[in-house]
Amino acid sequence: MNTKLLIALALAAAQGAACADDTPERTWTTAAELGAITTTGNTSGTSITGKIDARQELEDWSNQYIFSGFFKEDRTVDDAGEKHRTRSAERFAASAKAAYHLEDHNKKLFVLGSHVNDQFGAYTRYSSLSVGYSTRWFRSRDKTLDVEVGPGYFIGKNATGETENGMTVRGAASYRWQVSPSAVFTQTVSMEKGTSNLHSQAETALSTKINGTMQMKTAFSARNDTNAPEARKSTDTQTSLTLVYSF
């Protein structure tokens, strides 16, 4: 099963979910975030991070599409005065998720497909397809905790060029705390356990509202692969400050 097939299956499921619902009203919420840093002087370089998170809520389905990217390039001058550009990060990711509401709308059955292309990661390509069950485990006036679990399949190419694939067990959790009317704290974590690798991701973020559509987001994210090649580190982290536009 190749990467294109994994993504196509998830997109088809999400599209089918949208078409299967007879409800004429389709509610979309989209958040686009962007952050950039440019340095000059003794150290010169540019780094850009961005993300689009689009969600659609129907009577029986919840669909989500996420696209993100991170790019970093350093500029140096050698002793001869010649300028050089060195790319030190280049990562793009996409995912599509369709979740069917059960009788209790806080409980769902879902299918999720994702793909990551990371030229400097432990896996230069990593694609997965999973199905499972999700539920809202905890809810209070200002806090929610959602969890999901299910089996899946992955195919990946590590930094040494070797291809790996196999069945996985996936678990994920998402915590949201409305700290104040203008501030939201979120924590997400997901893990995919295969026969030879544990692939995990986590993000801790605090978003502060600037106005009705703009937010400032501070986040720390980490990605880990336990079966990383010797030439690569098993954990990649990123600290970011981005502007988020919601519409």
Side-chain angles (χ1 to χ4, degrees):
M1 185 178 294
N2 58 34
T3 298
K4 292 182 179 179
L5 181 57
L6 287 175
I7 300 301
L9 285 172
L11 288 172
Q15 183 64 26
C19 295
D21 200 300
D22 295 331
T23 305
E25 180 182 356
R26 298 184 179 182
T27 303
W28 285 90
T29 57
T30 303
E33 63 179 85
L34 179 67
I37 298 175
T38 299
T39 59
T40 60
N42 294 318
T43 302
S44 299
T46 301
S47 61
I48 300 173
T49 183
K51 180 179 179 181
I52 296 176
D53 186 342
R55 307 186 184 210
Q56 182 187 35
E57 290 294 334
L58 304 175
E59 183 177 358
D60 295 325
W61 293 87
S62 295
N63 303 321
Q64 183 179 24
Y65 309 89
I66 299 177
F67 305 91
S68 63
F70 175 62
F71 170 88
K72 184 180 180 182
E73 184 177 77
D74 299 321
R75 296 186 295 273
T76 58
V77 179
D78 60 22
D79 295 337
E82 296 183 358
K83 297 180 180 180
H84 302 275
R85 294 176 181 267
T86 304
R87 190 165 299 180
S88 55
E90 183 180 342
R91 182 173 66 248
F92 302 98
S95 68
K97 180 180 181 181
Y100 178 74
H101 302 162
L102 300 178
E103 186 173 348
D104 181 350
H105 275 210
N106 288 325
K107 299 179 180 179
K108 306 170 186 176
L109 299 176
F110 71 88
V111 56
L112 168 67
S114 65
H115 173 71
V116 178
N117 193 325
D118 188 351
Q119 295 302 312
F120 298 89
Y123 283 80
T124 57
R125 291 201 303 268
Y126 189 97
S127 302
S128 65
L129 179 68
S130 59
V131 297
Y133 170 80
S134 66
T135 182
R136 178 149 291 177
W137 209 357
F138 172 79
R139 181 175 184 174
S140 67
R141 180 181 58 84
D142 56 356
K143 302 179 183 70
T144 59
L145 175 61
D146 297 316
V147 297
E148 55 189 45
V149 64
Y153 179 89
F154 93 99
I155 180 170
K157 182 178 180 181
N158 63 30
T160 62
E162 299 177 352
T163 299
E164 302 176 15
N165 61 79
M167 300 299 295
T168 61
V169 176
R170 179 180 179 275
S174 176
Y175 174 74
R176 187 180 189 276
W177 174 24
Q178 187 75 45
V179 181
S180 70
S182 60
V184 177
F185 172 85
T186 57
Q187 174 69 59
T188 60
V189 61
S190 67
M191 293 182 289
E192 294 180 4
K193 173 61 177 175
T195 56
S196 60
N197 183 57
L198 174 61
H199 179 75
S200 57
Q201 303 178 71
E203 181 187 71
T204 304
L206 179 64
S207 300
T208 305
K209 185 180 296 185
I210 300 174
N211 54 37
T213 58
M214 296 291 294
Q215 302 172 54
M216 181 70 74
K217 178 182 174 182
T218 304
F220 173 80
S221 60
R223 300 169 56 87
N224 178 270
D225 288 285
T226 57
N227 191 32
E230 292 184 2
R232 299 290 173 89
K233 295 182 178 180
S234 60
T235 302
D236 292 319
T237 64
Q238 179 180 327
T239 302
S240 60
L241 180 64
T242 58
L243 278 175
V244 183
Y245 176 67
S246 302
F247 55 96

